[in-house]
Amino acid sequence: MNKLSPLPSHAAGMELDETALKAAATSHLDEGAVTPAFSQHRDDIVRLLNDALATELVCVLRYKRHHFTAHGMTSPAIAAELMVHATEEAAHADLLARRIVQLGGKPDFAPDTLLARSHADYDTSSDLQAMVKANLVAERIAVEAYRQMIALIGDKDPTTKRMLEGILADEEEHADELKDLLGT
């Protein structure tokens, strides 16, 4: 049986720059976890997150409207699912707002620009099937938007990337559930 030899404590090319660590840690303490190396991308990431926040808020409003206005034989079960989605979208909005603040930004909840900043539309359908379809379209928009955001952010902000990947997984699940409801 071969024994693996331990890695040397300082493998060639794998050493941290201690001077840079100390400089990053001691400058701009008022910015919390945002270090100078990250700050060059912060404004763009905050803008992307604020647009995602607007999208989530519009989705909450659309889902709630559909929940309360759904009618028909299958509406109680579908309405209940729409409220579950509304609650999950609100949780996404909270995650996004919290991350924006962590990055030193200001979450934009301004109702007068919400629709203009949202990737998804609000919908006033009264037909149950049209409601489900509108929500499925919105979820597919969210899925694509989060995929693009994850690609754009890449390794520039691993924490935000992981958060977005979690939200993306939820949005994909929502889309699958809505697709199944269309078959009801």
Side-chain angles (χ1 to χ4, degrees), residues 11-182:
M14 296 291 283
E15 293 183 40
L16 297 179
D17 181 342
E18 294 292 329
T19 305
L21 286 176
K22 287 181 175 120
T26 57
S27 65
H28 304 288
L29 291 176
D30 60 322
E31 294 189 10
V34 178
T35 60
F38 176 79
S39 63
Q40 66 182 335
H41 305 291
R42 178 177 45 190
D43 292 343
D44 289 333
I45 292 172
V46 166
R47 182 186 47 76
L48 288 171
L49 295 178
N50 262 317
D51 289 349
L53 175 61
T55 303
E56 295 292 348
L57 293 171
V58 167
C59 288
V60 169
L61 296 172
R62 186 187 57 257
Y63 273 124
K64 284 197 171 230
R65 182 192 182 282
H66 290 168
H67 165 79
F68 288 109
T69 61
H71 60 278
M73 289 178 47
T74 59
S75 66
I78 292 175
E81 187 64 31
L82 296 176
M83 183 55 80
V84 168
H85 287 203
T87 302
E88 291 173 353
E89 302 296 355
H92 296 162
D94 291 349
L95 287 170
L96 292 162
R98 187 173 299 114
R99 185 62 182 155
I100 290 166
V101 170
Q102 287 173 341
L103 296 175
K106 292 181 175 34
D108 189 349
F109 287 90
D112 58 332
T113 62
L114 210 53
L115 277 173
R117 293 180 290 116
S118 173
H119 302 296
D121 294 328
Y122 184 74
D123 179 74
T124 58
S125 297
S126 56
D127 173 73
L128 192 57
Q129 187 163 1
M131 289 179 187
V132 173
K133 185 176 179 184
N135 285 303
L136 177 55
V137 167
E139 291 295 351
R140 289 172 54 91
I141 288 169
V143 164
E144 183 59 25
Y146 283 118
R147 283 187 182 147
Q148 288 184 26
M149 288 172 60
I150 290 164
L152 287 169
I153 291 171
D155 62 354
K156 296 173 189 74
D157 179 2
T159 302
T160 298
K161 180 181 177 185
R162 280 191 308 275
M163 178 193 70
L164 295 175
E165 288 169 341
I167 294 172
L168 172 61
D170 290 345
E171 304 295 10
E172 289 173 341
E173 183 178 326
H174 291 171
D176 283 343
E177 291 166 352
L178 291 164
K179 175 190 65 79
D180 292 345
L181 288 176
L182 277 177

